[in-house]
Amino acid sequence: MAEELVLDTAIRDWVLVPLSVVMVLIGVLRYFVAKLMRSPSASPSPDPKHVKEGQVVIRARNLRTGAQFIPAKAFKSRKVYYTNEENGLLHVPKEEAQKAQAAMFSDPNMAMDMMKKNLSMIVPQTLTFT
């Protein structure tokens, strides 16, 4: 015969409810600390060139997912439009790709921002576990 597991109302009221409230407040506090630690240079207004590149990628993805609904000739012509090595919208010369990676590693502010983000997540977790 299996016994039912019953939660005492005092445990619910004095342990589970305050613990849930504390966890929600820690999440809110973590959000605001991360917002304060974020440098203004980390979130500039979006560059129109980056927005355009993102939209091109979305259009190419939509073409790939909807390829079965259009004729094969139309798909191939649109694929060439995006992937042509001379003037395709998705083609990035190797030199430019390597420059972007080098610029990312040479910027010390980016590494500092990543460290701040990690620290803003580690400290509340440590305090929660203690």
Side-chain angles (χ1 to χ4, degrees), residues 21-88:
V21 170
V22 166
M23 293 305 292
V24 168
L25 291 177
I26 286 174
V28 170
L29 180 69
R30 182 185 298 166
Y31 168 75
F32 284 115
V33 167
K35 192 173 180 180
L36 286 174
M37 290 179 71
R38 193 174 354 172
S39 65
S41 65
S43 60
S45 60
D47 182 24
K49 182 180 178 186
H50 291 292
V51 172
K52 184 177 179 181
E53 289 173 356
Q55 290 174 348
V56 167
V57 170
I58 291 171
R59 288 174 51 204
R61 184 180 61 213
N62 290 341
L63 174 65
R64 186 183 67 217
T65 56
Q68 67 270 17
F69 300 114
I70 61 176
K73 184 178 179 182
F75 174 75
K76 286 180 184 176
S77 67
R78 292 173 187 171
K79 181 180 171 186
V80 167
Y81 175 72
Y82 285 116
T83 60
N84 189 2
E85 288 191 18
E86 294 174 9
N87 57 2

